Amino acid sequence: MKSFVENLFEWVKLDSGEQIFHFEKFDLNELSRNIIADWIPVLESNHFEYEFVIPETEYFIHIDVNAYTRVLNNLFQNIIIHSAGDKMALHICEDIQQAKIIISDNGKGIAPDKLPHIFERMYQCDQSRSAKGNGLGLAIAKELISVHKGTITAENSSDKGTVFTILLPKAL
């Protein structure tokens, strides 16, 4: 219940425009590595294999560190709790204009008729994923990415599982 109330409170702040963001110029690759480091013990204790492919080069973006951390935390938690898989991967690739962050799992995927709705507030995919959760995590992730003038999408993998793709603009 506590988690639900916290998520609901965060959603209300986002929805009303009351959330305060602190954008700074950060190296996305280093920031991502720091966030992932905290997740390795969690992934291992949940018997997940993982692969992280992050370029060694610096790639600067204007980002709110707490918001980006929340996005990755929501996606990783979603994979662990709902995917019924045992592998996850995060790949970052970049070009002159944007970074692409791809997070995938080898779970059961999301039913095609449910996929267009997973970023809606309070939506739960009871048939394709377990009923755990409150239906706010992916909606919050989408709002936080939108605040960064980015996008997040989801699709089923061609072999098995789900692929989330985040696009974020490069800092000028």
Side-chain angles (χ1 to χ4, degrees):
M1 185 62 132
K2 179 183 176 197
S3 175
F4 175 74
V5 171
E6 287 171 353
N7 284 337
L8 189 57
F9 181 67
E10 184 170 2
W11 174 259
V12 169
K13 285 190 342 184
L14 280 170
D15 195 44
S16 67
E18 293 178 20
Q19 181 76 32
I20 297 171
F21 296 97
H22 301 284
F23 291 94
E24 297 181 58
K25 192 173 181 179
F26 274 95
D27 173 9
L28 175 69
N29 296 328
E30 185 64 25
L31 177 58
S32 298
R33 281 192 280 281
N34 290 337
I35 295 167
I36 288 167
D38 292 336
W39 276 95
I40 290 175
V42 177
L43 291 166
E44 290 176 350
S45 70
N46 283 281
H47 310 288
F48 266 77
E49 294 178 33
Y50 50 86
E51 175 183 59
F52 303 119
V53 179
I54 302 172
E56 291 297 322
T57 58
E58 293 180 329
Y59 192 84
F60 288 99
I61 64 173
H62 287 286
I63 197 162
D64 179 291
V65 172
N66 292 328
Y68 180 68
T69 301
R70 178 65 189 253
V71 169
L72 291 189
N73 287 348
N74 284 2
L75 292 173
F76 290 176
Q77 185 176 25
N78 200 55
I79 288 170
I80 291 170
I81 293 172
H82 302 294
S83 76
D86 63 358
K87 294 179 185 169
M88 67 90 54
L90 178 141
H91 294 239
I92 297 178
C93 50
E94 308 144 349
D95 64 25
I96 296 171
Q97 297 177 328
Q98 66 186 2
K100 181 188 282 187
I101 304 149
I102 302 167
I103 301 171
S104 59
D105 66 61
N106 71 336
K108 56 187 165 183
I110 299 170
D113 63 319
K114 309 283 187 204
L115 205 49
H117 306 287
I118 64 168
F119 293 107
E120 295 174 8
R121 179 179 36 161
M122 305 299 280
Y123 187 81
Q124 293 177 312
C125 299
D126 294 334
Q127 294 172 353
S128 67
R129 304 263 184 164
S130 70
K132 299 174 193 166
N134 54 41
L136 290 170
L138 292 179
I140 289 170
K142 182 177 182 176
E143 287 298 316
L144 293 174
I145 292 298
S146 293
V147 166
H148 288 85
K149 301 194 183 349
T151 61
I152 182 171
T153 58
E155 62 186 4
N156 285 316
S157 171
S158 58
D159 47 328
K160 193 175 184 189
T162 305
V163 179
F164 291 92
T165 303
I166 299 168
L167 299 175
L168 292 171
K170 182 178 183 177
L172 300 176

